[in-house]
Amino acid sequence: LIPIACLFIALFWKISDFDSSTSVRRAVTFSVAAGFAVAAAILTHPLSVLFVAAEIAILFFIISAQNKISSTLKKTVFASLLSSAFVVLSAVSLYNGLNFGKFFPLQGNSGFNFFLGNNPAATGTCYLRPGRGWDEVHYEAECLANDAKISKDKIFIGKSVDFILRDPLSWLLLCAKKFLLVWNAKELVSGADYPLLRYFTPLQRFGYF
C-alpha cells in the first residue's frame, strides 16, 4: 500500500502543477494513471478509501485555489481520474460477482479485516493471528451467517457497527491509539514476527538481533 500511495500522491502533485500550457493529452494521461493508482490502493487496503478521498479533496482545493487551468481542463482531469478508478473497481467487482456470487469492489475478506480493527478486543494492531482463536471467530461468524442467510462479511461488519454505536467513546479512543501507533518508534508486530517466536525458531534465530 505504501508505494502505491506514494505513487498516486506523486501523480496528484504533478496534476496540481498543471497550467494553461498543459495539453489535454498530458492531463488525461496523468489523470488516468492517478485513477489506476487510486483503485490499486483501495483494492490493497479497503480503509485507504478514506485517505484517498481526502487526497482527492485536497487536490481539488489546490487546483481551484490556484486557478491555473480552465474549468474544462479541470473537469477533464477529475472525470479521467474518477472514471479510470471506477473502471478498475468495477472490473474487480464483476470478477468477484461471477466467481464468488457477490459483487463487491473491495477485498473479499474486508468485513473481517474491518472487524479485526474495530471490536471491543481490538488493540490497534493485528492482535489475532491464524490459529485456534482465529478459527473460533470465523466459525462463529459462519454459523451466524448460515442461520441469517447472509455473508460472513455482513456479520463481521454488523458486529463492528454494533460496537461503534454501543460504545462510541471506546471506539474513538481506539482510533486515537491506532493513529498514535503509526508514529511509534518501534516496528509494529506483523504476522509471525513476535520476538520470542523468532528467537526460539532455529531457522530464524540466526537473523535475530
Side-chain angles (χ1 to χ4, degrees), residues 11-116:
L11 290 168
F12 280 11
W13 177 79
K14 293 294 291 185
I15 292 171
S16 69
D17 202 37
F18 287 170
D19 55 30
S20 57
S21 65
T22 303
S23 65
V24 174
R25 182 178 179 180
R26 176 180 171 83
V28 170
T29 300
F30 274 93
S31 301
V32 168
F36 285 155
V38 161
I42 294 173
L43 292 172
T44 303
H45 198 302
L47 286 181
S48 66
V49 68
L50 302 176
F51 177 72
V52 168
E55 286 291 329
I56 292 176
I58 292 171
L59 176 64
F60 180 80
F61 174 77
I62 291 174
I63 290 179
S64 299
Q66 291 178 339
N67 198 27
K68 293 193 298 184
I69 62 175
S70 65
S71 59
T72 301
L73 190 59
K74 187 189 305 180
K75 291 177 182 177
T76 301
V77 165
F78 285 99
S80 302
L81 193 159
L82 297 176
S83 296
S84 59
F86 177 77
V87 167
V88 174
L89 294 176
S90 296
V92 175
S93 180
L94 179 62
Y95 176 85
N96 289 333
L98 295 176
N99 289 277
F100 307 113
K102 51 183 178 179
F103 292 85
F104 45 83
L106 308 179
Q107 293 174 338
N109 211 26
S110 56
F112 174 68
N113 290 336
F114 184 74
F115 168 79
L116 194 61

Side-chain angles (χ1 to χ4, degrees), residues 118 120 155-168:
N118 300 276
I155 294 295
F156 282 126
I157 292 174
K159 286 186 173 185
S160 294
V161 171
D162 288 342
F163 162 63
I164 294 169
L165 296 179
R166 185 178 66 254
D167 197 351

Side-chain angles (χ1 to χ4, degrees), residues 48 70 129 134 137 144 160 179 208:
S48 66
S70 65
R129 307 308 304 171
W134 176 286
V137 169
L144 293 173
S160 294
F179 175 80
Y208 181 80

